[in-house]
Amino acid sequence: MTGADGDVRSRSDGDVRSRSEEVPSRSEEVARIERDAADAIGAATTSAALAEVQTAVLGKRSALALAHRDLAALDADARRTAGKVLHDVRTRLETLVAARAQELGAAERAAMLEQDRLDLTEVTESEVRSAISRGRLHLVNQTQRELEDVFVAMGFTVAEGPEAETDWYNFEALNIPPAHPARSMWDTFYLELGQPETVVLRTHTSPVQIHLMEDSPPPVHAVMPGRCYRRETPDARHLAVFHQMEGLVVDHGITFADLAGTIETFTTRYFGADIHSRLRPGYFPFTEPSAEVEVTCTICRGAGCRTCSGTGWVELAGCGMVDPAVFEAVGIDPEEWTGFAFGFGIDRCAQMRHVIADMRVLTENDVRFLRQF
Ligand code: DAH
């Protein structure tokens, strides 16, 4: 575009405007009415607003209606021509209103449907909140339940006993007399010394065996999970508060083969076939013979590390054939009944199964650790 063109155009625009402002012709007036009306129709954003616009541009007091009335002053021919022009304007405006009404109606229906829609997959705010704060079982509790499941599937029942025990249940009935050197294996927290009885925080779940045999006559096939306490300096494999799963089977003709088979079945069911276990001769006052159950250390896969003290194996349980002295303590005839018992460390099972190098993380309540399970 050249400067000269621009000048020409602006000059002629100015001429047209000044002329029309002075004496607007009838057809210019009608064109303006139509333009204004069309703009107003287009600008209506709701059906309600459109209804008002419709009255304003097509109603009795609209500019169009007034223009109609003005036709009366014209002669017949001019009236007919001008009347037709106005009629055409009205028809076009009515068409515009109808189209806009349809447009707005559709949009409003869609918005209403959207608003009323029931989204059955929607996650509500309260669900989000409860998902955030929903807790979970501690790994040790989860492990306890899994161990219970394995033994229940093998025909065992589940029993529990108190955490505070008298000297009789924790030691004497289990063939550990006062001052016996074996007591040093189970130093603990004493709640009461002597008078009338010595009460300790139980050092193992074995006393539950005694409660069970006192309370109901054989046969017995039970596991007994629970918390135990020992005077222990915590390290990678030991806690002063820990958990055990005791087992006791008393029946006719129970042999060491039943014990070994039960241990084997348990370890493969809980750990899977790729973790190896072994039984080694051991000593416990309440079983004869006794054995220790060990599994390949999962931290070093048997190579030897800090967790297994360089041995490649981790002790999981003690076990053995119930000593006749224990049967006699609870009034069961050892000539008629035989049995086996075992005691697993639940925390140890969790540690080996989930490859946890240091058991102390189980008590530290660090959610970054706990959330993983
Ligand atoms: N009570 C033993 C301990 O805490 C573990 C144990 C060994 C339990 C042999 C038993 C058993 O039932 O027969 O070290």
Side-chain angles (χ1 to χ4, degrees):
M1 184 205 290
T2 67
D5 283 349
D7 285 341
V8 169
R9 188 173 301 145
S10 70
R11 219 178 11 253
S12 66
D13 282 357
D15 289 350
V16 169
R17 202 179 304 125
S18 59
R19 227 188 295 130
S20 69
E21 270 163 14
E22 283 159 20
V23 221
S25 73
R26 167 170 294 278
S27 66
E28 275 171 347
E29 177 67 14
V30 170
R32 189 185 57 79
I33 291 172
E34 182 172 6
R35 211 183 318 115
D36 288 352
D39 285 352
I41 292 165
T45 51
T46 65
S47 299
L50 182 63
E52 280 175 29
V53 169
Q54 186 175 11
T55 311
V57 301
L58 295 169
K60 278 190 211 135
R61 266 173 279 158
S62 63
L64 195 61
L66 293 178
H68 237 287
R69 232 166 286 159
D70 290 347
L71 294 181
L74 303 178
D75 61 37
D77 268 358
R79 200 187 316 144
R80 202 175 307 116
T81 319
K84 170 145 175 40
V85 169
L86 288 183
H87 177 74
D88 289 348
V89 168
R90 174 172 287 274
T91 308
R92 282 196 296 275
L93 289 179
E94 280 170 354
T95 309
L96 274 185
V97 167
R100 185 70 183 146
Q102 202 170 23
E103 228 171 74
L104 291 174
E108 282 163 12
R109 265 194 307 282
M112 205 154 64
L113 280 179
E114 182 59 30
Q115 204 176 25
D116 291 351
R117 190 159 63 104
L118 261 189
D119 181 357
L120 299 178
T121 66
E122 187 184 21
V123 179
T124 65
E125 204 184 317
S126 72
E127 276 175 322
V128 170
R129 244 182 286 120
S130 69
I132 288 168
S133 60
R134 187 177 297 149
R136 68 190 73 202
L137 287 178
H138 189 280
L139 176 59
V140 172
N141 298 87
Q142 292 182 35
T143 306
Q144 177 177 323
R145 292 191 181 191
E146 284 170 31
L147 296 177
E148 285 174 15
D149 286 348
V150 171
F151 283 110
V152 165
M154 291 165 73
F156 287 75
T157 57
V158 181
E160 285 187 346
E163 290 178 23
E165 287 285 17
T166 61
D167 192 272
W168 160 259
Y169 285 102
N170 196 76
F171 296 119
E172 277 191 63
L174 289 162
N175 198 29
I176 314 169
H180 190 285
R183 288 217 178 187
S184 62
M185 291 165 72
W186 295 282
D187 198 5
T188 183
F189 304 94
Y190 284 77
L191 300 181
E192 271 172 50
L193 267 180
Q195 288 112 37
E197 274 182 300
T198 297
V199 178
V200 300
L201 289 179
R202 68 180 178 193
T203 60
H204 45 185
T205 43
S206 300
V208 191
Q209 291 185 30
I210 304 301
H211 289 290
L212 217 57
M213 289 189 284
E214 278 181 347
D215 295 349
S216 51
V220 178
H221 303 84
V223 286
M224 299 144 260
R227 192 175 292 128
C228 305
Y229 305 80
R230 277 188 208 174
R231 196 189 68 86
E232 191 91 71
T233 304
D235 63 25
R237 226 172 44 236
H238 297 89
L239 299 171
V241 181
F242 59 102
H243 302 79
Q244 284 191 339
M245 173 84 82
E246 194 77 13
L248 176 68
V249 169
V250 181
D251 213 328
H252 292 293
I254 297 292
T255 71
F256 198 90
D258 297 313
L259 168 60
T262 303
I263 299 288
E264 177 68 21
T265 306
F266 161 75
T267 46
T268 41
R269 285 205 190 159
Y270 180 69
F271 288 105
D274 54 332
I275 294 191
H276 298 293
S277 64
R278 68 177 185 184
L279 281 180
R280 293 206 310 163
Y283 169 71
F284 297 100
F286 31 92
T287 43
E288 182 60 34
S290 304
E292 283 171 10
V293 182
E294 296 181 333
V295 290
T296 310
C297 176
T298 55
I299 313 299
C300 61
R301 300 244 145 227
C305 65
R306 189 175 62 96
T307 306
C308 60
S309 305
T311 64
W313 294 90
V314 171
E315 188 192 340
L316 271 192
C319 63
M321 302 305 291
V322 179
D323 194 291
V326 175
F327 281 144
E328 274 158 17
V330 293
I332 291 177
D333 181 2
E335 295 299 325
E336 183 185 351
W337 303 94
T338 51
F340 66 78
F342 55 80
F344 276 93
I346 295 178
D347 318 73
R348 288 268 180 92
C349 286
Q351 181 181 26
M352 286 300 116
R353 166 91 175 260
H354 299 286
V355 196
I356 298 165
D358 194 317
M359 198 190 257
R360 284 170 287 194
V361 291
L362 292 174
T363 61
E364 284 166 0
N365 289 338
D366 185 332
V367 289
R368 289 169 302 178
F369 167 75
L370 296 174
R371 264 201 212 113
Q372 299 175 68
F373 306 101

